[in-house]
Amino acid sequence: MCADGVLGGHLLNQGSAYSYRHGFTGAARDPLQHALPLVYTEPDLALSVLRNTCAWANPDGDVPYALDGHKQPRRELFQPSDQNLWALWLAAEYAAATGDLAAFAEPAPFHPASKASPVPLGEHLRRQFRYFVDVVGTGAHGHVRIRNADWNDLVLDEVGGDRAAMIERGESVLNSAMAAWVLPVYAALAARLGDAETASEARKIGERLRELVAGEWNGRWFRRAYGPDAEPVGDDVLWLEAQPWAILSGAADPDQAVALLATIDKLCRRNSPLGARLQWPSPIGERGGIWASINATLVWAAATIDPELGWDEWRRMTLSAHSAAYPDIWEGTLSGPDAYMSPESGRPGQTWKLPHLGVAMQAWPVGNMHSHAQPLLAYLRLLGVQPGRAGELRVGGGGAFQSQVLTVREDGSGLLRSSGDVTVLPPSGVPIHGRGEIVWP
């Protein structure tokens, strides 16, 4: 984490080959998701990262894919359809855990390239919500448009077909499922900030997307996307990234959630010591692999439905699991990349390289924030720590965690130190309202 002398706040670059080999900071979603566990260890720094990454955006809420080596916005390579969601998520999680609503009234800058005056942080977020709704928008099926990337930067290459038509008319079930969880949580923050109109709209859109995702169940898993001619993507291939969000958003009913996790266990996790593969059947070559960002959400989705699977998947994410499975591969010991190759790839335990595109994680396969931040976030989720749809902070137990602001004990008791008014929902199910030091038995 570095203090940013241009944009203010702190830059939390995901590092590794992206920064040290290729010289850019990206994608914007990455500092936002890496700051999520900081909400519970260094909340002031989590806020600083949120302010900094929001400053990348245009005044209309368009967050660029990356900043180049000269710290200039880059939009020409990818125009992802998910990036606003990560900012709304981090903001909502920060507010639920700290109660620091005053932070959202403080002026926050835009990138100097925008030549725009600062606006309150809460207004930054409202504009990002509007950009997601009005510009990213939805397609013929009502799902979020895929544009030329959603979470997967190469999703259009993997889907195949007419690229231009896919950008124009393709739809991402993944981003619909993620938005179905994020938007109601953001709505709670908007309501607390006095923006009832935005809160109401966010809830309605989130519910509509949840219903649409529920309709993508094919009897085994949830589809991944829709092509430009309304053809479904993901009936014959299980794309892991969409599945946890379908569970977390409530699109999967209880029986579907249990069956889906069992299918993932059987197909994606079998004989994979580092965790679930991104796709099944697992592609041979550089595609697919095992991605910490996605497996963290899998752990979270399994936490209350199949805790044994959740804990096992979390252990597979750790550096110690990599060292045990691949003792002769140096990356994945003290640090690691954002993804590992699957057992059937020919280079299991190493990471990806795409020389035809001029990029390779294998060129600098350590120092990536995903290998450190995602296991920590997944661990907190296993302990039941997460924001709720009413703006509350939910906490559980089953493991121990302690920082300067949060203590969770195995028996479910704990302590939270907040700077503003918060509501804690402990295992007892009885909400506790307060500020400062909040203790629950």
Side-chain angles (χ1 to χ4, degrees), residues 279-291:
Q279 291 181 21
W280 181 90
S282 182
I284 303 301
E286 300 299 314
R287 290 173 49 202
I290 299 158
W291 292 76

Side-chain angles (χ1 to χ4, degrees), residues 14-18 22 336-339 351-354 359-366 368:
Q14 70 167 307
S16 65
Y18 300 109
H22 301 297
D338 57 356
T351 189
W352 55 268
K353 54 184 179 180
L354 299 170
V359 295
M361 181 60 55
Q362 191 63 54
W364 198 296
V366 294
N368 188 280

Side-chain angles (χ1 to χ4, degrees), residues 167-186:
I167 292 171
E168 180 183 357
R169 301 191 301 277
E171 299 170 72
S172 172
V173 176
L174 162 62
N175 281 353
S176 291
M178 180 181 179
W181 183 87
V182 170
L183 293 183
V185 175
Y186 167 64

Side-chain angles (χ1 to χ4, degrees), residues 95-377:
T98 67
D100 180 17
L101 300 186
F104 298 95
E106 290 295 318
F110 292 102
H111 193 284
S114 296
K115 297 181 172 60
S117 300
V119 298
L121 179 59
E123 175 63 12
H124 269 271
L125 298 168
R126 189 195 67 81
R127 294 184 186 188
Q128 289 202 39
F129 170 73
R130 290 259 54 94
Y131 187 87
F132 178 76
V133 172
D134 300 334
V135 180
V136 174
T138 54
H141 294 84
H143 287 296
V144 177
R145 289 178 55 224
I146 202 166
R147 306 224 284 186
N148 74 352
D150 47 12
W151 165 83
N152 184 339
D153 291 339
L154 301 181
V155 64
L156 298 193
D157 296 332
E158 297 183 12
V159 170
D162 187 327
R163 185 179 182 89
M166 191 68 176
I167 292 171
E168 180 183 357
R169 301 191 301 277
E171 299 170 72
S172 172
V173 176
L174 162 62
N175 281 353
S176 291
M178 180 181 179
W181 183 87
V182 170
L183 293 183
V185 175
Y186 167 64
L189 171 59
R192 295 180 72 190
L193 295 177
D195 188 352
E197 182 178 353
T198 294
S200 176
E201 185 178 3
R203 289 193 189 96
K204 289 177 181 176
I205 295 172
E207 178 59 20
R208 184 173 74 243
L209 291 173
R210 185 196 66 78
E211 293 173 353
L212 289 170
V213 174
E216 300 303 334
W217 175 252
N218 70 4
R220 297 178 294 172
W221 52 72
F222 290 84
R223 299 181 183 93
R224 173 63 169 82
Y226 275 92
D229 298 317
E231 68 275 19
V233 176
D235 269 333
D236 298 324
V237 175
L238 193 166
W239 297 66
L240 181 63
E241 56 261 53
Q243 312 309 316
W245 286 116
I247 294 173
L248 292 166
S249 68
D253 68 34
D255 290 340
Q256 290 170 349
V258 170
L260 177 56
L261 288 172
T263 297
I264 292 170
D265 187 30
K266 178 181 179 181
L267 301 180
C268 297
R269 286 174 20 95
R270 178 185 291 175
N271 302 322
S272 182
L274 305 184
R277 304 162 179 83
L278 192 65
Q279 291 181 21
W280 181 90
S282 182
I284 303 301
E286 300 299 314
R287 290 173 49 202
I290 299 158
W291 292 76
S293 178
I294 302 304
N295 292 17
T297 58
L298 175 59
V299 170
W300 178 12
T304 58
I305 298 168
D306 189 343
E308 184 177 345
L309 187 155
W311 280 103
D312 183 71
E313 183 69 15
W314 177 76
R315 292 186 181 96
R316 297 189 196 192
M317 293 179 68
T318 61
L319 295 171
S320 60
H322 186 281
S323 298
Y326 303 105
D328 296 328
I329 297 177
W330 72 275
E331 60 261 37
T333 53
L334 298 180
S335 184
D338 57 356
Y340 296 108
M341 304 304 296
S342 60
E344 48 280 320
S345 68
R347 295 192 300 109
Q350 294 187 292
T351 189
W352 55 268
K353 54 184 179 180
L354 299 170
H356 64 290
L357 297 178
V359 295
M361 181 60 55
Q362 191 63 54
W364 198 296
V366 294
N368 188 280
M369 286 287 175
H370 283 291
S371 66
H372 303 282
Q374 302 311 314
L376 180 53
L377 179 64

